[in-house]
Amino acid sequence: MRPLNTMEPLHALAVEVAQPRLDKDDLMRIEILISLCAGLVTVNQESRIIRLVHYTTQEYFEQTKHCWFPDAEAEITILCNPLI
């Protein structure tokens, strides 16, 4: 759990299950991602860190993640290591 730079969520969203390599053509532009997040995220232009706009949004996701994403850590592990 650390701040994400702008490339990390773009790579995460470009991952396709059962594909051995990342296809760089699947990467979207950061401006599109920010637009799709409907004002919930912002990018620090100096550090290139993407974050939620308001701390209450972070608190909400932390309190409800078990409802929205109950197996998130396991799913990320499997996607990042196809040998599991």
Side-chain angles (χ1 to χ4, degrees), residues 43-54:
V43 173
N44 180 301
Q45 295 302 321
E46 290 179 21
S47 66
R48 303 297 294 162
I49 297 294
I50 189 169
R51 65 174 180 81
L52 295 169
V53 171
H54 200 268

Side-chain angles (χ1 to χ4, degrees), residues 40-76:
L40 292 176
V41 299
T42 188
V43 173
N44 180 301
Q45 295 302 321
E46 290 179 21
S47 66
R48 303 297 294 162
I49 297 294
I50 189 169
R51 65 174 180 81
L52 295 169
V53 171
H54 200 268
Y55 77 92
T56 57
T57 310
Q58 177 78 30
E59 287 178 348
Y60 171 77
F61 282 122
E62 287 174 2
Q63 292 171 2
T64 62
K65 69 180 179 182
H66 61 279
C67 296
W68 298 105
F69 314 105
D71 301 320
E73 288 86 0
E75 290 178 22
I76 291 168

Side-chain angles (χ1 to χ4, degrees), residues 5-14 23-38 41 43 45 48 50:
N5 70 48
T6 54
M7 292 305 294
E8 291 169 322
L10 299 179
H11 280 88
L13 292 169
D23 184 349
K24 296 206 184 234
D25 291 335
D26 291 336
L27 291 172
M28 69 174 79
R29 292 188 357 246
I30 190 65
E31 296 82 11
I32 294 172
L33 176 63
I34 292 169
S35 174
L36 291 172
C37 290
V41 299
V43 173
Q45 295 302 321
R48 303 297 294 162
I50 189 169

